[in-house]
Structures are given as C-alpha cells and as structure tokens.
Amino acid sequence: MVNVEYLITNSGDSIIDKYSYSDGILKITLNVTEVDKKLMLLIKSENFSFDNFYLDNKEDVYRTCRIQIQELSKVLSVENGIYMPASSFGGIMQESKSNYNLAYGRKKSKVNYIFSLTGYDTLISCLIFDINSIRIEELS
C-alpha cells in the first residue's frame, strides 16, 4: 500500500487523469509514472482552487504535476488563531500564487495544511486538517 509520504517523494512526473468533487470529498485519479501505478486520492476538504486552463487541456504535458503539502503556519501569519495575509502587496501576491489565500480568515484549529498538485502552475489546491484527510487507493 502506498502512503502519503512515499507518494510525495515519488510523484515527480505524475499525470492527472481526472478529478471530481462530491459529498465533501475531492477525488483525483493520478498516473504516478515514477512507480508505474494509477492511484485515486480521496481528500476530505471544503476549500479548493482549480486551474481549468491546464486541467481542461487533454495533452499530458499540461496535466503533469507533483504533490506538495505545506504546513500553513510555516507560510502564513497567524493572529488570534486565524490565518492572516502578508502585510505587503508583494507578499499577498506571492501567497495568492501558491493558493495560500484559501486559508485567509480560517481558524488554525480547523485547517493546518494545503495540498497542491503543481506543474506549469498550481493545478489543484485544497485545505486539509491533517495528512489523514488524504486516503490513497490503488487502481488497476
């Protein structure tokens, strides 16, 4: 069975096959070429960002990505237990580029990480409480 840490390390040239969202679960089918496996990621989350320009393109080069998981308290300011934007315009723009802005105004007690699939740009991002919010299933 593939775990999240192993997947992150070996997701370098993965290709998004398809994705959907229903009943609070983001489902992503990913061809992980590094380990020659097709996996379904099931992620419990309510806050997302999708880059439809790349995701709608059928060419693999635009759907090629790697997995990144970032602890939000290491990249965003926290004030009174709430994630806050950077104090400068440039800082806000940098945070927005990485979709960290999804966490602005959210309680640290409810969201700790941002999961992202990154290729030419950040293709999909979602906020998660912890790593256990991600379940991985191997497909044939």
Side-chain angles (χ1 to χ4, degrees):
M1 179 165 200
V2 175
N3 65 32
V4 174
E5 291 80 19
Y6 178 81
L7 183 57
I8 292 169
T9 303
N10 293 287
S11 68
D13 288 322
S14 299
I15 300 169
I16 299 172
D17 188 29
K18 59 185 170 180
Y19 64 98
S20 65
Y21 178 76
S22 178
D23 298 323
I25 304 291
L26 174 63
K27 296 178 184 178
I28 303 169
T29 304
L30 203 59
N31 292 313
V32 185
T33 57
E34 301 264 336
V35 294
D36 197 28
K37 292 184 186 228
K38 189 172 195 174
L39 304 173
M40 179 177 289
L41 307 178
L42 299 122
I43 305 169
K44 184 177 179 179
S45 183
E46 297 175 359
N47 306 99
F48 307 96
S49 175
F50 300 97
D51 189 329
N52 289 327
F53 175 79
Y54 294 110
L55 292 171
D56 287 345
N57 200 307
K58 299 302 176 201
E59 294 180 50
D60 286 351
V61 68
Y62 294 108
R63 300 167 68 90
T64 300
C65 60
R66 68 184 178 286
I67 294 173
Q68 294 180 311
I69 298 178
Q70 182 66 53
E71 190 173 348
L72 290 167
S73 63
K74 292 185 177 180
V75 294
L76 291 177
S77 298
V78 178
E79 190 174 311
N80 298 320
I82 305 291
Y83 293 109
M84 303 295 293
S87 58
S88 70
F89 176 76
I92 292 171
M93 294 306 292
Q94 285 298 103
E95 291 171 353
S96 294
K97 184 177 180 187
S98 297
N99 290 330
Y100 298 154
N101 59 315
L102 290 172
Y104 293 169
R106 307 232 183 258
K107 292 183 179 182
K108 186 178 182 307
S109 62
K110 304 261 184 200
V111 176
N112 291 309
Y113 298 91
I114 186 166
F115 168 94
S116 297
L117 294 176
T118 306
Y120 273 100
D121 204 350
T122 305
L123 306 177
I124 298 175
S125 291
C126 65
L127 300 178
I128 57 176
F129 177 71
D130 64 14
I131 304 302
N132 294 324
S133 301
I134 302 170
R135 200 171 83 228
I136 301 169
E137 295 178 2
E138 290 190 38
L139 305 173
S140 44

